[in-house]
Amino acid sequence: MQNPVQNPLLNPIPRVTPDQDQLPSPHSDLIDLGPIDLDITEDDINLDFDSLQIPSPNESNSDNPNISHDDYSQFLKSNSKKDIIYNTTLQEHNEHLLKTTNKIILIPTSIDLDESNPYVSEVILNTENKDDILNIEKELNSFLKIHYENKIVYLLFTKVHHFDEMTYPSIFDALKKVRNDLLLSSDSTNISISDFRNPFDKLSYTKIYNIIIHIFHNTNIPVDVYRNKIIYPTLSERSKILHENHDIPIAGHLGSVRMYKRIKESYYWKGMRSDIENYVKTCRSCQENKALRKINKAPMEITTTSTAPFQRIALDIVGPLPESGTAKLKFILTIQDDLTKYSIAYPIRWSTTAEETSDCLIHFISLFGIPKTILTDQGTNFTADLFKSTCKFLKIKQLWSSPYHPQTQGALERSHSTLKEYLKSFINNNQDNWPTYVYTAILTYNITPHTTTKYTPYELIFGHKPYIPNSVFEEEPTTYLDYIKMLQHKLKFSREIALQNITKSKETSKSYYDSHTKPPPRYKPGDYVYIKNHLRLRKALSPIWKGPYKIIMVNNNHTATLLINRKHVTHHFDQMKPALIPK
């Protein structure tokens, strides 16, 4: 065995070229170098390999110094710190994993390649080198990289036998090795992975979630987790599902689009979309109570969108409705968050007094905190001194929409239409029991995916999907800290996506909206205009327009300030037309 001190690879000796005269001849006596000490000392074996920069097989050679190389125990310590925020982009899907459009798929399995796992079976059966995959030597906490159709599949070996119990350290180590391989290759794009569930394991998805966002932190690799809780109902069960998701009070007679989005989160069958459309079309209650949507052709102004929940809220009144009960309730006050579209409704007696409106606002604030801005119309209950004083005391900035221009509060006005359609579907013949259904109507609205944000308002506020009767939820073993870490990441990511979707929706709506309009006249201070006479609805033969009124100031949001009866009143361009004054 070679002495490590004399190993030139470990302790190279500098080569010296002596003068030619000093070299001994081949026939001369050997040079006596004296006794050589062959004992190994501590200094000899304390070798420095760091300077050689040999990469570890378990670590990435990435240039990013912020990539974590913790083991599982170190992860547990760092995960317990509340100030750590992960930037991993993680999105959840309730679909079949192999239907993903991503190029890279991660499938956890056992070394014996459990064929009861439908993902593993399908991948192996559709690969050319099936025998090689089955016979190749495999190692625990490692992976096998194979090609499946036009995708790359990583089989993660997180346990030896399919009946063994998968452990969190094994999952952590296997994911970490895959991450390092992705960073070293050119395949570091979006990846899809299952949620690690199988019949033999009782794993907490909350812990799995936190492991994933920790490992892929600072990697710029988006992760799509496929939970696949889809139920495939029989033909006889489909009618019951349609009934539960349309006719009962917490379903609320949704339209076909929103009903489809709600059902597809839990069920799938061939022709599901057409079945839903036919069910809604033939619903007698919907045919009797739902109005046709009219397209309002007017220029659109894109408003700013809040960046946090309850930063800005909108208030409005629905009614008058048929008088109900001894309290003589006739109106509904609705409050909606600008970002999440989360809504609250309060049955009230009057629409013109500020007392009830202020009380409802205080109750809302006790639940969700004080908003920075409130947007309302110019109703007397919102412009009264009491309501103004309440907002001033709470340091809330008030914004008012233009008179007779409900588009300013478009999202809230659209929810009013949904609310009325819901109430029409469930009230009695006397129409005096509508307050009973107001709260279930708002629940239905909040637990249904919004067409603009693509999330349910409930999920954007509370960070998880709502519990509804036709869904099955399993209790997961988890801890308070694990749940808080997952909730923090989920809320941050989902709200960012919702904000992007709202902005995109506004731009799309404006493009379509403005394509059906013509530019308004170029008004300037000093011009005279007529405004629409909305009081004519009380008298059929009243003039359509009233005025003329002088423009005092032209604002930059398609509104102008007019002098009406010695008061400055703001009106939208939609409500005005130029007045031709004879000279």
Side-chain angles (χ1 to χ4, degrees):
M1 180 176 178
Q2 190 177 22
N3 190 332
V5 178
Q6 296 173 326
N7 188 338
L9 294 176
L10 299 179
N11 193 9
I13 302 173
R15 185 173 181 178
V16 179
T17 304
D19 295 338
Q20 190 68 24
D21 296 338
Q22 298 176 351
L23 291 174
S25 64
H27 304 288
S28 63
D29 295 333
L30 295 175
I31 301 173
D32 184 10
L33 297 177
I36 299 177
D37 184 8
L38 298 179
D39 294 333
I40 301 175
T41 65
E42 182 178 354
D43 293 337
D44 294 328
I45 63 174
N46 189 18
L47 303 175
D48 181 16
F49 290 97
D50 294 338
S51 60
L52 299 178
Q53 298 182 347
I54 301 174
S56 168
N58 291 328
E59 294 188 0
S60 167
N61 200 22
S62 170
D63 294 333
N64 190 342
N66 298 318
I67 300 298
S68 170
H69 300 294
D70 297 344
D71 57 22
Y72 183 70
S73 61
Q74 292 171 321
F75 155 71
L76 293 177
K77 292 180 182 178
S78 63
N79 196 53
S80 63
K81 299 177 182 178
K82 296 181 180 180
D83 56 336
I84 295 180
I85 299 177
Y86 299 111
N87 59 13
T88 306
T89 300
L90 188 150
Q91 203 160 5
E92 296 171 328
H93 305 268
N94 195 14
E95 296 175 311
H96 195 283
L97 175 62
L98 299 181
K99 291 183 179 180
T100 179
T101 57
N102 295 338
K103 183 181 177 182
I104 299 173
I105 302 175
L106 278 60
I107 303 177
T109 185
S110 54
I111 290 179
D112 64 359
L113 292 175
D114 176 20
E115 294 191 4
S116 65
N117 184 327
Y119 300 142
V120 176
S121 301
E122 187 171 342
V123 169
I124 294 178
L125 289 174
N126 290 278
T127 53
E128 297 179 356
N129 53 343
K130 176 183 177 181
D131 293 335
D132 295 338
I133 295 174
L134 295 174
N135 298 325
I136 194 173
E137 184 177 352
K138 308 172 187 70
E139 182 182 348
L140 185 63
N141 302 342
S142 63
F143 63 84
L144 179 62
K145 189 175 178 182
I146 60 178
H147 289 273
Y148 167 73
E149 296 180 350
N150 61 340
K151 296 179 174 65
I152 298 174
V153 175
Y154 285 82
L155 297 178
L156 279 62
F157 302 122
T158 53
K159 55 185 179 179
V160 178
H161 303 100
H162 65 275
F163 50 80
D164 292 338
E165 186 173 348
M166 199 181 302
T167 65
Y168 296 114
S170 295
I171 295 172
F172 186 93
D173 291 342
L175 282 176
K176 182 178 169 184
K177 290 178 181 178
V178 171
R179 178 206 63 185
N180 295 342
D181 186 75
L182 290 172
L183 292 175
L184 288 169
S185 67
S186 59
D187 298 327
S188 55
T189 58
N190 293 54
I191 64 172
S192 299
I193 187 172
S194 76
D195 59 358
F196 288 84
R197 290 195 175 194
N198 66 73
F200 301 99
D201 297 318
K202 295 182 179 179
L203 299 170
S204 166
Y205 176 69
T206 305
K207 290 183 179 293
I208 299 295
Y209 186 103
N210 289 331
I211 288 174
I212 293 174
I213 62 175
H214 174 87
I215 287 178
F216 290 94
H217 177 58
N218 286 332
T219 62
N220 293 323
I221 300 177
V223 181
D224 293 320
V225 178
Y226 284 75
R227 307 198 65 184
N228 196 20
K229 293 182 178 180
I230 297 295
I231 299 171
Y232 299 88
T234 62
L235 187 63
S236 60
E237 293 172 331
R238 295 174 190 175
S239 59
K240 183 179 179 181
I241 293 170
L242 294 172
H243 172 75
E244 288 180 344
N245 286 274
H246 186 75
D247 298 332
I248 66 175
I250 65 167
H253 286 271
L254 297 172
S256 58
V257 175
R258 299 181 73 197
M259 183 176 169
Y260 172 73
K261 288 182 178 179
R262 178 169 172 170
I263 291 179
K264 77 172 186 177
E265 292 186 349
S266 303
Y267 304 100
Y268 176 80
W269 67 85
K270 189 175 181 180
M272 184 173 73
R273 185 189 290 270
S274 60
D275 288 350
I276 292 172
E277 291 176 351
N278 291 332
Y279 192 88
V280 173
K281 285 179 182 178
T282 56
C283 175
R284 181 173 178 178
S285 178
C286 291
Q287 294 179 74
E288 292 177 351
N289 298 313
K290 292 191 177 182
L292 295 174
R293 307 297 174 202
K294 294 183 179 179
I295 301 176
N296 189 355
K297 297 182 178 181
M300 179 180 287
E301 182 81 11
I302 293 184
T303 58
T304 57
T305 303
S306 303
T307 56
F310 305 115
Q311 193 176 70
R312 180 171 71 191
I313 61 175
L315 282 71
D316 202 2
I317 297 291
V318 179
L321 302 174
E323 189 175 291
S324 176
T326 56
K328 298 182 178 181
L329 302 173
K330 294 179 65 176
F331 298 90
I332 303 174
L333 173 67
T334 57
I335 304 177
Q336 186 179 81
D337 174 46
D338 179 54
L339 174 63
T340 65
K341 308 306 178 187
Y342 191 86
S343 300
I344 296 288
Y346 300 94
I348 59 176
R349 290 179 296 173
W350 309 103
S351 65
T352 55
T353 58
E355 288 83 359
E356 285 182 298
T357 305
S358 298
D359 289 344
C360 293
L361 176 62
I362 295 298
H363 180 265
F364 180 88
I365 288 173
S366 72
L367 298 175
F368 302 107
I370 302 174
K372 293 183 179 180
T373 308
I374 286 180
L375 175 64
T376 67
D377 59 22
Q378 297 190 33
T380 54
N381 55 332
F382 301 124
T383 57
D385 290 338
L386 176 60
F387 191 79
K388 287 182 178 179
S389 300
T390 303
C391 293
K392 184 177 180 181
F393 175 76
L394 297 172
K395 297 182 180 180
I396 302 172
K397 181 181 179 181
Q398 274 190 276
L399 297 176
W400 293 280
S401 61
S402 305
Y404 304 107
H405 193 260
Q407 293 93 329
T408 305
Q409 303 184 79
L412 186 55
E413 292 288 347
R414 181 65 185 86
S415 70
H416 287 178
S417 178
T418 304
L419 176 60
K420 289 178 182 178
E421 290 170 354
Y422 178 99
L423 296 177
K424 289 177 183 178
S425 301
F426 295 102
I427 59 175
N428 57 21
N429 292 333
N430 295 328
Q431 300 185 8
D432 58 359
N433 67 334
W434 58 264
T436 306
Y437 294 99
V438 166
Y439 301 111
T440 52
I442 288 298
L443 172 65
T444 301
Y445 183 86
N446 287 331
I447 65 176
T448 303
H450 198 277
T451 53
T452 300
T453 65
K454 315 301 182 188
Y455 290 90
T456 66
Y458 183 100
E459 185 178 2
L460 291 175
I461 292 296
F462 299 107
H464 61 83
K465 293 185 181 297
Y467 296 90
I468 53 180
N470 60 350
S471 294
V472 179
F473 291 86
E474 300 175 2
E475 293 293 331
E476 296 178 343
T478 186
T479 64
Y480 172 79
L481 187 60
D482 286 333
Y483 176 75
I484 291 298
K485 185 68 69 174
M486 182 184 74
L487 181 64
Q488 180 186 45
H489 183 271
K490 269 191 172 183
L491 288 175
K492 176 179 179 294
F493 175 73
S494 60
R495 288 170 181 172
E496 287 175 353
I497 296 298
L499 178 59
Q500 295 172 12
N501 290 337
I502 290 173
T503 303
K504 183 179 179 180
S505 177
K506 286 183 176 181
E507 293 172 350
T508 303
S509 298
K510 176 176 172 57
S511 177
Y512 175 80
Y513 196 79
D514 290 353
S515 66
H516 294 76
T517 64
K518 60 180 181 180
R522 293 181 177 273
Y523 296 112
K524 62 182 184 295
D527 289 349
Y528 284 83
V529 296
Y530 288 98
I531 61 174
K532 285 183 179 179
N533 182 15
H534 291 273
L535 296 179
R536 66 181 285 269
L537 298 176
R538 301 176 185 176
K539 296 180 180 180
L541 300 179
S542 299
I544 299 176
W545 301 88
K546 60 181 181 180
Y549 301 110
K550 186 177 182 179
I551 295 179
I552 303 301
M553 181 173 59
V554 176
N555 306 311
N556 58 1
N557 56 352
H558 299 305
T559 64
T561 303
L562 311 180
L563 181 62
I564 302 176
N565 298 330
R566 293 184 294 181
K567 292 182 179 179
H568 288 186
V569 182
T570 301
H571 278 270
H572 196 273
F573 288 169
D574 291 356
Q575 308 295 319
M576 299 161 43
K577 74 172 185 177
L580 302 178
I581 306 298
K583 296 182 180 179

